[in-house]
Amino acid sequence: MHIAKCLGGAVWIGSWYLMYLEITRWHHVKPSLAFNADPIPGTGVRPRPGQPLILLHLACVAAPLVIVAGMVTQIRARRAVRTSRRPQRPACARPGPAPPSP
């Protein structure tokens, strides 16, 4: 899971850096993260986003989800280990009603 979190973090940083370039330098994406599709003059053809831009949008969404899922899994594993290490009290020492006598 550590490798998945590291890769997810690298993809997260890289995807948002590329998104920054798409918005500020290349102007393929609007600041609202919508595709900047101005019609081609004289043709009426509206350009559509290509595979790299679609994958970039998916990476911007999927990478944070992988990081959060990894952190939740790690926290749950720590809690499971912590509760399994806790010494168990014998049944007679547990608070509550006394067992019925035969």
Side-chain angles (χ1 to χ4, degrees):
M1 187 52 79
H2 180 70
I3 295 171
K5 285 190 337 184
C6 289
L7 285 175
V11 169
W12 191 359
I13 292 168
S15 66
W16 279 105
Y17 176 69
L18 285 174
M19 188 61 75
Y20 164 77
L21 292 176
E22 289 281 352
I23 293 169
T24 58
R25 187 177 298 167
W26 301 320
H27 304 291
H28 296 151
V29 178
K30 295 178 184 177
S32 65
L33 301 181
F35 181 58
N36 193 10
D38 296 328
I40 299 172
T43 62
V45 175
R46 290 190 61 85
R48 295 181 297 181
Q51 188 98 20
L53 189 57
I54 292 171
L55 289 174
L56 177 61
H57 277 259
L58 288 175
C60 287
V61 172
L65 294 177
V66 168
I67 298 288
V68 170
M71 288 182 359
V72 167
T73 304
Q74 187 177 14
I75 290 170
R76 282 188 167 182
R78 282 185 190 164
R79 285 185 182 173
V81 168
R82 197 177 309 151
T83 58
S84 67
R85 288 184 185 172
R86 188 180 307 165
Q88 296 292 326
R89 293 188 288 180
C92 61
R94 290 188 184 147
S101 55

